Amino acid sequence: MKNKRIVIIGGSAAGPKAAARARRLDESAEITIFQKAPDLSMASCGYPYYVGGFFDDRNKLLCTPTGVVRDPKYYLNAKGIDAKVNTEVTRIDRKNMLVEFKDLTTGETGIQPYDKLIIATGSTPKMPPIPGIDLEGITPLQSMQNADYLRKIRDDKSIKKAVVIGGGLIGIETTEALNLAGIELTLIELLPQLLTFLDWKMAKLVENYLKTKANVITKNGVAEFIGENGKLKAVKLANGTEIPCELAVVAIGVTPRVDLAREAGLDIGELGGLAVNDYMQTSDKDIYAVGDCIEVTNKITGKKVLAPYGDLANLEGRVAGENVILNDVATFKGTIQTGICKIFDYGVGITGLSEAIAEKEGLDYIKVVNASPDKPGFMNGKLLITKLVAEKQTGRILGAQVIGPGDVSKQIAIWATAIMGKLTVDDLANNDLPYAPPFSLAIDHSIATAHIMQNKMRGLFDGISALEVKEKLDKNERLYLLDTRGPDEYEQTRLGAGETLIPIGQLRTRIQELPDDKSTPIVTYCKISLRGYEASRVLKAHGYTNVKVMEGGIMGWPFEKEK
Amino acid sequence: MKNKRIVIIGGSAAGPKAAARARRLDESAEITIFQKAPDLSMASCGYPYYVGGFFDDRNKLLCTPTGVVRDPKYYLNAKGIDAKVNTEVTRIDRKNMLVEFKDLTTGETGIQPYDKLIIATGSTPKMPPIPGIDLEGITPLQSMQNADYLRKIRDDKSIKKAVVIGGGLIGIETTEALNLAGIELTLIELLPQLLTFLDWKMAKLVENYLKTKANVITKNGVAEFIGENGKLKAVKLANGTEIPCELAVVAIGVTPRVDLAREAGLDIGELGGLAVNDYMQTSDKDIYAVGDCIEVTNKITGKKVLAPYGDLANLEGRVAGENVILNDVATFKGTIQTGICKIFDYGVGITGLSEAIAEKEGLDYIKVVNASPDKPGFMNGKLLITKLVAEKQTGRILGAQVIGPGDVSKQIAIWATAIMGKLTVDDLANNDLPYAPPFSLAIDHSIATAHIMQNKMRGLFDGISALEVKEKLDKNERLYLLDTRGPDEYEQTRLGAGETLIPIGQLRTRIQELPDDKSTPIVTYCKISLRGYEASRVLKAHGYTNVKVMEGGIMGWPFEKEK
Ligand SMILES: Cc1cc2nc3c(=O)[nH]c(=O)nc-3n(C[C@H](O)[C@H](O)[C@H](O)COP(=O)(O)OP(=O)(O)OC[C@H]3O[C@@H](n4cnc5c(N)ncnc54)[C@H](O)[C@@H]3O)c2cc1C
Ligand SMILES: Cc1cc2nc3c(=O)[nH]c(=O)nc-3n(C[C@H](O)[C@H](O)[C@H](O)COP(=O)(O)OP(=O)(O)OC[C@H]3O[C@@H](n4cnc5c(N)ncnc54)[C@H](O)[C@@H]3O)c2cc1C
Ligand SMILES: CC(C)(COP(=O)(O)OP(=O)(O)OC[C@H]1O[C@@H](n2cnc3c(N)ncnc32)[C@H](O)[C@@H]1OP(=O)(O)O)[C@@H](O)C(=O)NCCC(=O)NCCS
Ligand SMILES: CC(C)(COP(=O)(O)OP(=O)(O)OC[C@H]1O[C@@H](n2cnc3c(N)ncnc32)[C@H](O)[C@@H]1OP(=O)(O)O)[C@@H](O)C(=O)NCCC(=O)NCCS
Ligand SMILES: [Ca+2]
Ligand SMILES: [Ca+2]
């Protein structure tokens, strides 16, 4: 049998992973990677940390765990893979089963036949089609070259003011990176909130935190880039404001790079990504596609989504690499769109559906917010705020958002695994997690979240969101706000929205101070609304019929406070 | 209807949790906690950290997250619960549905009728019945008073040498605590390994690390405590060795405290714990039991086990607290015996079954070891070593052990949730976890572990444990050891067991240097055995029929090395 010829277009994450897996399954296959960029195996997700100065050695973005740079020589010797850099595939010829390519340094062209082809062309950054976009000083952060450019700015200390356009994951990571480079920064987001995959309140809490580090402008887009001698001097917002800056990083999202595939007549999905089945196979049985350039199935809704994530690129690559050798044995069934990012001392993560998406999908859901620490106070526990969304009838977990200085990553990992297992709130309520004080509370934050949700589902806990409370206050609706904290806590910080302070320890003896009308709408809360919940139980037992707990308490309040 | 009388025996973890939950479900119930100890709601799991000086304020072990000490006044005011400290229940009178109690300060006795009784009497530390056990300077670390005693020793700097007897979780935590108190320490374990819930090799790796911090003696018990003027001077081991010391902390396990229950004729299980059903109900329908004093079901084996863990105490307490009010609606279905502990800069955790237990249970299992970092090198990734055990036919996850300086807690939480969801290796292999460089590798350590297991289950990866390799070497069996690292790595550290060094990048061109006999038993490895695995694929493709990868590589090698 003649050796199988495997050709891979794209040499960053998904492509090389597919190549490496294929090699391990077939030592005799002829495996070729075409890579347009000069580097291979770039850890693009690490760019913000290189720019931010978490490390100085550029090679660390390109090397194996033992420090060997993954260049063509490495690929040849260690993997037996022919990786051609600076080489662009210019056409896929399906009929003759070959690709045409061009060496970008020499200009030479050539052809390479394939038995199986894997497309891993990734994505291109969206650039807004507005005046001045071509000025010097405007860049995305997508390629190694972009990272080099920004890192040089850091090292040269050549710039004082910058803007980042786009409040998504990469925009926010870039904000941190440039801030750490000592640059005064303004983050600009067109929409009413940052991190649009989060629900509004969660995003607002992140925004409040981020504002302690950088300027943040929302609900306002960039209308024009203003230059001088071809160099960026300022950005002009839709509302006319001008922000002086010498650098603008554009991070408004990415688009699947499917031009080659489209020209070759492969099926493209509605969202603009390559259409593949669970084997990562395109509409041509000998052509596979993986990574940022494809559409994948959301495992909860069953719908196609774009999920341009580095972890998925690797998992998809591994599946395709296997299938081109062993003929469609491995599957990648989809994503639950799990993501996380670090923002200074905060973690921000999501898995599964937000409330907004659950709503849009017409699902019958229930949600709850839990603000509480990740560890005991004596071990310096830090705050976590979780918003959990579950199916109303069954309690099946649909999604979780977690933010805060606490251990967000572990919480999201738990919820992601729970969603994969189709677990319910009741399952999570008795989850046997690893407990010791250096790692968690005796009742882990995720378990406490499940407990609160159980209470809510069974009517023991009537929750109200901070947003609803704020709306009622703004509308001057009748509302008796009961703060159940101690006087010292009240002195330190408080809503100042007309609330009454009765510490939980005095509630039973001071209950007569509450309105006589037992149908008065009452909202209880405390720092995190644990005592608020207890107060609600006491009031209900005393005949109050309209008592709600403000979920997340003061820690979950995203609006201005008196103090 | 008259108010329900709920009586609870035990006021540390399970008891108060049951009381608090019951209160929230029934504001009018009369709830009484009897607590023999002078304190309530002690975070016993925090004792080692108090002794070790992680914090200095003793009250932090007893207070709410906002700093209020949970004393009888707090219980009365904030919870409406009558908590009697220094008060021992001396008898349960089931016929008359009352308990007899004694105030330990005044000596007065009394009776308290109940409608529902909850037993949460916890456990007592085992003390070895050997000569000298009553000498001053010998203590367990079980009560607040024990913690006070050891903390005073820390503060007074009154002691230079100590021994800890027992290499379980608490023994090891105590070793760290006393070491941090500046005391020269020897840990003594009768059995051949520390942490007996781990498999031997994993425990050995922990032991190797611990030895860099303290003296560790295994396979040797204490035969006698030697004193002078009533004070401990030394311990004498079974082999005759005398170890001078002024303090001995005994941590050889705990026994369920069931004397009251036994006298009252309640069913006791085979392991000595109170027998309860999933409602936490004893053989008397009006009596419930929770916490360290009960036996619970292992959800994987279906067998009863003792699981004296603080998290389970709380979960069980919550279930019982609910059931005494709402009549058997909530269930606690059991444990998978998840546990974790911190040992200086290491985490050590387990969930589900170890290989030893799977073996004992006669399960058809497969296991694998993965040593690899938790995060990218450029984010200072730290090593994790995982041993995964799965059902051979189905791939269902049975258990995972994780050790190392990396993020053990998240790994164990993932596996625990996976076990609860009855997930398989294939499920975990495509788990959509939260990925960003500050939190994990693009392929999370748990996913990589699942990948290696997939490879092993499908015959792509023939593993051999370090233990088996060592045995073969000791028996002088024919074995060609192939180290596939770079020469610089080899210079730094190596087995020195007759291995041949061929870096992976040279293997394909130097293959003729390998033995001509293709049936030669070959074992490949590298630092973590990733390159070892790749080498095995190359060798197999070249016709070698007897190639195995040493799982975990050098990082997983628990024995002496040349360098
Ligand atoms: C700054 C930044 C931060 C990120 N952070 C995270 C994160 O924290 N977590 C996360 O999950 N994901 C993150 N991502 C996303 C992640 O990096 C991508 O999902 C991943 O790189 C996609 O891999 P890919 O191989 O599909 O595509 P790419 O990495 O885009 O690689 C595609 C490659 O194909 C080559 N190519 C394209 N067309 C051709 C052609 N015609 N011929 C030859 N070669 C071609 C290109 O040169 C390119 O290198 C981040 C991305 C960026 C830019
Ligand atoms: C040093 C140490 C570290 C630990 N670390 C961890 C850890 O990291 N993770 C983990 O999960 N678990 C850990 N544990 C175990 C955890 O603390 C226990 O599982 C938990 O405390 C059990 O709670 P309990 O309420 O059942 O029993 P206990 O905490 O033992 O409380 C029982 C109480 O009942 C009272 N009592 C007994 N008999 C009577 C009577 N007749 N009348 C009145 N009162 C009575 C006693 O005074 C006692 O306070 C640790 C324990 C110790 C000692
Ligand atoms: C690294 C890369 C070249 C893929 O190469 P690879 O050889 O598959 O490397 P990986 O580390 O992913 O996997 C190593 C293999 O060894 C196995 N392995 C990992 N640790 C192991 C261990 N301790 N023992 C044995 N085997 C191990 C894995 O299962 C995998 O094998 P498999 O896929 O056949 O199951 C490709 O992913 C890449 O270029 N990545 C860099 C860029 C990137 O990921 N960017 C996006 C995020 S920033
Ligand atoms: C603390 C203790 C008294 C139990 O009292 P508790 O009032 O149930 O306190 P918890 O913090 O456990 O639970 C608070 C309640 O508020 C809920 N809650 C927690 N956070 C909340 C939030 N942010 N918003 C709303 N409700 C919240 C919980 O679900 C729980 O209610 P539920 O049990 O009715 O569902 C008892 O566990 C104890 O004594 N613990 C200390 C000792 C110990 O645990 N030792 C072993 C480990 S070291
Ligand atoms: Ca992900
Ligand atoms: Ca546990």
Side-chain angles (χ1 to χ4, degrees):
Chain A
M1 217 187 81
K2 91 177 195 339
N3 295 341
K4 221 175 205 172
R5 289 161 308 181
I6 310 292
V7 170
I8 293 156
I9 314 176
S12 175
K17 182 68 199 178
R21 177 70 173 162
R23 165 58 68 234
R24 287 188 287 269
L25 297 177
D26 184 353
E27 176 67 12
S28 66
E30 286 165 24
I31 306 178
T32 313
I33 298 177
F34 289 96
Q35 167 74 325
K36 195 165 127 184
D39 299 293
L40 288 159
S41 285
M42 305 90 84
S44 5
C45 317
Y47 296 161
Y49 304 95
Y50 178 54
V51 173
F54 285 75
F55 58 99
D56 299 319
D57 179 2
R58 179 190 195 268
N59 277 342
K60 285 199 174 173
L61 289 166
L62 303 168
C63 73
T64 71
T66 44
V68 182
V69 172
R70 291 189 177 109
D71 57 14
K73 203 169 131 238
Y74 163 82
Y75 269 95
L76 188 65
N77 295 335
K79 303 270 189 197
I81 292 171
D82 181 12
K84 298 183 195 298
V85 292
N86 292 312
T87 309
E88 182 176 4
V89 170
T90 50
R91 189 170 155 254
I92 301 170
D93 179 346
R94 288 170 56 194
K95 202 165 139 247
N96 296 305
M97 293 181 73
L98 56 83
V99 299
E100 298 173 2
F101 63 84
K102 180 176 176 182
D103 183 322
L104 299 176
T105 12
T106 64
E108 275 170 47
T109 60
I111 60 160
Q112 168 72 44
Y114 66 78
D115 295 309
K116 300 282 174 189
L117 176 68
I118 300 177
I119 302 176
T121 44
S123 53
T124 43
K126 292 184 194 165
M127 298 300 278
I130 52 175
I133 186 77
D134 293 323
L135 288 167
E136 193 187 322
I138 303 173
T139 181
L141 176 50
Q142 163 81 4
S143 68
M144 193 72 204
Q145 286 59 46
N146 301 150
D148 288 336
Y149 175 76
L150 292 176
R151 173 72 199 209
K152 191 167 178 334
I153 286 176
R154 175 197 169 88
D155 292 339
D156 292 352
K157 299 190 172 39
S158 57
I159 271 177
K160 296 232 155 38
K161 287 176 190 225
V163 301
V164 170
I165 302 166
L169 288 176
I170 295 179
I172 284 201
E173 288 179 355
T174 307
T175 302
E176 174 176 349
L178 295 177
N179 174 292
L180 294 178
I183 297 171
E184 192 196 318
L185 217 98
T186 305
L187 176 66
I188 301 164
E189 168 60 58
L190 179 68
L191 297 172
Q193 71 171 70
L194 306 179
L195 299 167
T196 48
F197 51 82
L198 295 180
D199 286 321
W200 182 84
K201 175 181 136 168
M202 298 296 279
K204 188 74 191 166
L205 290 167
V206 176
E207 183 183 324
N208 291 348
Y209 170 69
L210 188 58
K211 278 182 170 159
T212 65
K213 308 278 180 177
N215 308 312
V216 180
I217 293 174
T218 52
K219 291 193 249 188
N220 216 334
V222 173
E224 191 186 337
F225 293 101
I226 300 170
E228 206 177 80
N229 304 325
K231 284 191 182 169
L232 182 70
K233 290 290 292 177
V235 295
K236 189 175 192 172
L237 302 186
N239 69 356
T241 319
E242 273 188 28
I243 303 174
C245 59
E246 303 132 87
L247 172 71
V249 181
V250 179
I252 57 173
V254 294
T255 314
R257 205 190 262 128
V258 296
D259 39 349
L260 284 179
R262 185 179 280 121
E263 284 160 27
L266 296 175
D267 285 358
I268 308 291
E270 278 181 18
L271 304 168
L274 258 156
V276 293
N277 61 19
D278 287 355
Y279 301 116
M280 301 288 101
Q281 200 171 31
T282 67
S283 50
D284 179 329
K285 76 170 182 25
D286 295 315
I287 305 183
Y288 294 72
V290 288
D292 281 8
C293 63
I294 66 166
E295 292 182 4
V296 288
T297 308
N298 179 304
K299 287 206 257 185
I300 307 173
T301 64
K303 299 202 174 142
K304 289 293 172 186
V305 292
L306 295 173
Y309 287 112
D311 56 340
L312 302 185
N314 273 281
L315 298 181
E316 294 155 6
R318 185 169 179 268
V319 164
E322 179 159 340
N323 288 337
V324 293
I325 300 298
L326 302 180
N327 295 326
D328 305 339
V329 289
T331 57
F332 177 81
K333 297 228 164 72
T335 176
I336 52 175
Q337 290 180 281
T338 309
I340 191 166
C341 89
K342 168 176 140 44
I343 307 177
F344 298 96
D345 296 331
Y346 258 48
V348 173
I350 184 168
T351 181
L353 310 184
S354 64
E355 181 183 359
I357 300 283
E359 177 95 53
K360 212 172 98 185
E361 292 290 325
L363 294 171
D364 193 16
Y365 68 88
I366 178 164
K367 52 162 178 164
V368 85
V369 170
N370 174 21
S372 58
D374 59 352
K375 291 187 277 184
F378 59 78
M379 296 307 278
N380 291 318
K382 300 208 178 77
L383 186 72
L384 289 168
I385 303 181
T386 294
K387 176 166 178 177
L388 181 68
V389 181
E391 209 169 54
K392 201 164 197 165
Q393 296 309 316
T394 62
R396 184 181 149 192
I397 310 298
L398 293 175
Q401 299 156 62
V402 187
I403 64 171
D407 186 353
V408 168
S409 162
K410 184 173 96 173
Q411 293 296 312
I412 295 287
I414 292 169
W415 292 116
T417 308
I419 292 173
M420 183 172 52
K422 298 195 162 53
L423 297 182
T424 66
V425 170
D426 284 346
D427 292 328
L428 270 289
N430 279 334
N431 199 4
D432 190 352
L433 291 171
Y435 163 59
F439 305 105
S440 79
L441 291 176
I443 298 183
D444 183 74
H445 178 83
S446 65
I447 299 178
T449 306
H451 288 175
I452 306 170
M453 184 65 109
Q454 280 188 323
N455 296 337
K456 200 165 176 183
M457 291 176 77
R458 290 168 50 188
L460 297 168
F461 176 103
D462 280 317
I464 181 168
S465 71
L467 189 56
E468 286 170 89
V469 171
K470 179 75 163 74
E471 279 167 5
K472 284 180 193 294
L473 289 171
D474 288 348
K475 284 193 248 162
N476 273 315
E477 278 187 33
R478 184 169 68 128
L479 203 60
Y480 185 88
L481 274 180
L482 181 64
D483 184 339
T484 59
R485 295 173 306 149
D488 41 341
E489 293 175 86
Y490 188 77
E491 257 329 295
Q492 261 194 309
T493 181
R494 61 170 169 260
L495 299 191
E499 67 268 33
T500 304
L501 181 77
I502 305 184
I504 184 73
Q506 301 173 9
L507 184 61
R508 287 181 178 85
T509 51
R510 290 173 58 187
I511 199 117
Q512 73 290 347
E513 294 175 29
L514 269 86
D516 289 335
D517 179 358
K518 302 265 170 160
S519 72
T520 311
I522 300 178
V523 169
T524 62
Y525 66 93
C526 58
K527 184 175 175 192
I528 62 171
S529 280
L530 190 163
R531 288 167 286 173
Y533 159 52
E534 295 200 299
S536 80
R537 300 302 306 157
V538 174
L539 296 186
K540 285 188 183 182
H542 280 82
Y544 287 91
T545 54
N546 198 350
V547 187
K548 289 197 156 64
V549 186
M550 187 169 78
E551 295 182 21
I554 293 188
M555 298 319 295
W557 180 258
F559 309 102
E560 298 256 309
K561 295 189 297 270
E562 184 180 273
K563 255 186 154 174
Chain B
M1 216 189 79
K2 90 180 196 332
N3 295 341
K4 221 175 205 171
R5 291 161 308 183
I6 309 293
V7 170
I8 292 154
I9 314 177
S12 175
K17 182 69 201 178
R21 177 71 174 161
R23 164 57 70 235
R24 287 188 287 270
L25 298 177
D26 183 354
E27 177 66 13
S28 66
E30 288 165 20
I31 305 178
T32 313
I33 297 176
F34 289 97
Q35 167 74 326
K36 198 165 125 185
D39 298 294
L40 287 159
S41 285
M42 302 91 82
S44 6
C45 317
Y47 296 161
Y49 305 95
Y50 178 53
V51 173
F54 286 75
F55 58 99
D56 299 320
D57 180 2
R58 178 188 195 270
N59 277 343
K60 285 200 173 171
L61 290 165
L62 304 167
C63 72
T64 71
T66 45
V68 183
V69 172
R70 292 188 176 110
D71 57 15
K73 202 168 132 236
Y74 162 82
Y75 269 96
L76 189 65
N77 294 334
K79 302 271 189 196
I81 292 170
D82 182 12
K84 299 184 196 298
V85 292
N86 293 312
T87 308
E88 181 175 3
V89 169
T90 50
R91 191 171 154 253
I92 301 170
D93 180 346
R94 288 168 59 194
K95 201 164 140 244
N96 297 304
M97 293 180 74
L98 57 83
V99 299
E100 298 173 3
F101 64 84
K102 180 173 175 184
D103 184 323
L104 298 177
T105 12
T106 64
E108 274 171 48
T109 60
I111 60 162
Q112 169 71 43
Y114 65 79
D115 296 310
K116 299 282 174 190
L117 176 68
I118 300 177
I119 302 176
T121 43
S123 53
T124 43
K126 291 184 194 166
M127 298 300 277
I130 53 175
I133 186 77
D134 293 323
L135 289 168
E136 195 187 320
I138 304 173
T139 181
L141 175 50
Q142 162 83 3
S143 67
M144 192 73 202
Q145 287 60 47
N146 301 150
D148 289 337
Y149 174 75
L150 292 177
R151 173 73 198 208
K152 192 166 178 332
I153 286 175
R154 175 196 168 88
D155 293 340
D156 292 354
K157 299 189 173 39
S158 58
I159 270 176
K160 297 233 156 36
K161 287 178 189 222
V163 300
V164 170
I165 302 166
L169 288 175
I170 296 180
I172 284 202
E173 288 180 356
T174 307
T175 301
E176 173 175 349
L178 295 177
N179 174 292
L180 294 176
I183 296 170
E184 192 197 319
L185 216 99
T186 305
L187 175 66
I188 300 164
E189 169 61 56
L190 178 67
L191 298 172
Q193 71 171 71
L194 306 180
L195 301 165
T196 48
F197 51 83
L198 295 180
D199 286 321
W200 181 86
K201 176 182 136 168
M202 298 296 279
K204 188 72 191 168
L205 289 167
V206 176
E207 184 184 322
N208 291 348
Y209 170 68
L210 188 58
K211 278 181 170 161
T212 65
K213 308 280 183 176
N215 308 311
V216 180
I217 293 174
T218 53
K219 291 193 248 188
N220 215 334
V222 173
E224 192 184 339
F225 294 101
I226 300 170
E228 203 176 83
N229 304 327
K231 285 189 181 168
L232 182 68
K233 290 290 290 177
V235 295
K236 189 176 191 170
L237 303 185
N239 70 354
T241 319
E242 274 188 29
I243 303 173
C245 60
E246 304 132 86
L247 172 70
V249 182
V250 179
I252 57 172
V254 295
T255 314
R257 205 190 261 128
V258 296
D259 40 349
L260 284 178
R262 184 179 280 122
E263 282 160 29
L266 296 173
D267 285 358
I268 308 292
E270 277 181 21
L271 304 168
L274 258 155
V276 294
N277 60 20
D278 287 356
Y279 302 116
M280 301 288 102
Q281 202 171 30
T282 67
S283 52
D284 180 327
K285 76 169 182 27
D286 296 314
I287 305 183
Y288 294 73
V290 287
D292 282 8
C293 64
I294 67 167
E295 291 181 5
V296 288
T297 308
N298 179 304
K299 286 206 257 184
I300 308 172
T301 64
K303 298 204 174 141
K304 290 293 173 185
V305 293
L306 295 173
Y309 287 112
D311 56 340
L312 302 185
N314 273 280
L315 298 180
E316 294 156 5
R318 184 167 180 269
V319 164
E322 179 160 340
N323 287 337
V324 293
I325 300 298
L326 303 179
N327 294 327
D328 306 339
V329 288
T331 56
F332 177 81
K333 298 227 165 72
T335 176
I336 52 174
Q337 292 180 280
T338 310
I340 190 167
C341 89
K342 169 176 139 42
I343 306 177
F344 298 96
D345 296 330
Y346 259 49
V348 173
I350 184 168
T351 182
L353 309 185
S354 64
E355 180 183 359
I357 300 283
E359 176 95 54
K360 212 170 98 184
E361 291 291 327
L363 295 170
D364 194 16
Y365 68 88
I366 178 164
K367 51 159 178 167
V368 86
V369 170
N370 174 20
S372 58
D374 59 352
K375 290 188 278 185
F378 59 78
M379 296 306 277
N380 289 320
K382 299 207 179 81
L383 185 73
L384 289 168
I385 303 181
T386 294
K387 176 166 178 177
L388 182 67
V389 181
E391 211 167 54
K392 200 163 199 166
Q393 295 309 314
T394 62
R396 185 181 150 192
I397 311 296
L398 293 174
Q401 299 157 60
V402 188
I403 64 171
D407 187 352
V408 168
S409 162
K410 184 174 96 174
Q411 293 296 313
I412 295 287
I414 292 169
W415 293 116
T417 308
I419 292 174
M420 182 172 52
K422 298 196 163 50
L423 297 182
T424 65
V425 169
D426 284 346
D427 292 327
L428 270 289
N430 279 335
N431 199 4
D432 190 352
L433 290 171
Y435 162 59
F439 305 105
S440 79
L441 292 175
I443 297 183
D444 183 74
H445 178 82
S446 64
I447 299 179
T449 307
H451 288 175
I452 305 170
M453 184 66 109
Q454 280 188 321
N455 295 338
K456 200 166 175 181
M457 290 176 78
R458 290 168 50 188
L460 298 169
F461 176 104
D462 280 316
I464 181 168
S465 71
L467 189 55
E468 286 169 90
V469 172
K470 179 75 162 77
E471 279 168 4
K472 284 181 194 293
L473 289 172
D474 287 348
K475 283 193 250 162
N476 275 315
E477 279 187 32
R478 183 168 70 126
L479 204 60
Y480 185 88
L481 274 180
L482 181 63
D483 184 338
T484 60
R485 295 174 304 149
D488 42 341
E489 293 175 87
Y490 187 78
E491 257 328 296
Q492 259 192 311
T493 182
R494 61 171 169 258
L495 298 191
E499 66 267 34
T500 302
L501 181 77
I502 305 184
I504 184 74
Q506 302 173 9
L507 184 60
R508 286 181 179 85
T509 50
R510 290 174 57 186
I511 200 116
Q512 75 289 351
E513 295 177 27
L514 268 87
D516 290 334
D517 177 358
K518 301 265 169 163
S519 72
T520 310
I522 300 178
V523 168
T524 62
Y525 66 93
C526 58
K527 185 175 176 194
I528 62 172
S529 279
L530 190 163
R531 288 166 286 173
Y533 158 53
E534 296 200 298
S536 78
R537 300 302 306 156
V538 175
L539 296 187
K540 284 188 185 184
H542 280 82
Y544 287 91
T545 56
N546 197 351
V547 186
K548 289 196 155 63
V549 185
M550 188 170 76
E551 297 183 21
I554 292 187
M555 298 319 295
W557 180 260
F559 309 102
E560 298 256 308
K561 296 190 297 270
E562 183 181 275
K563 253 188 154 174

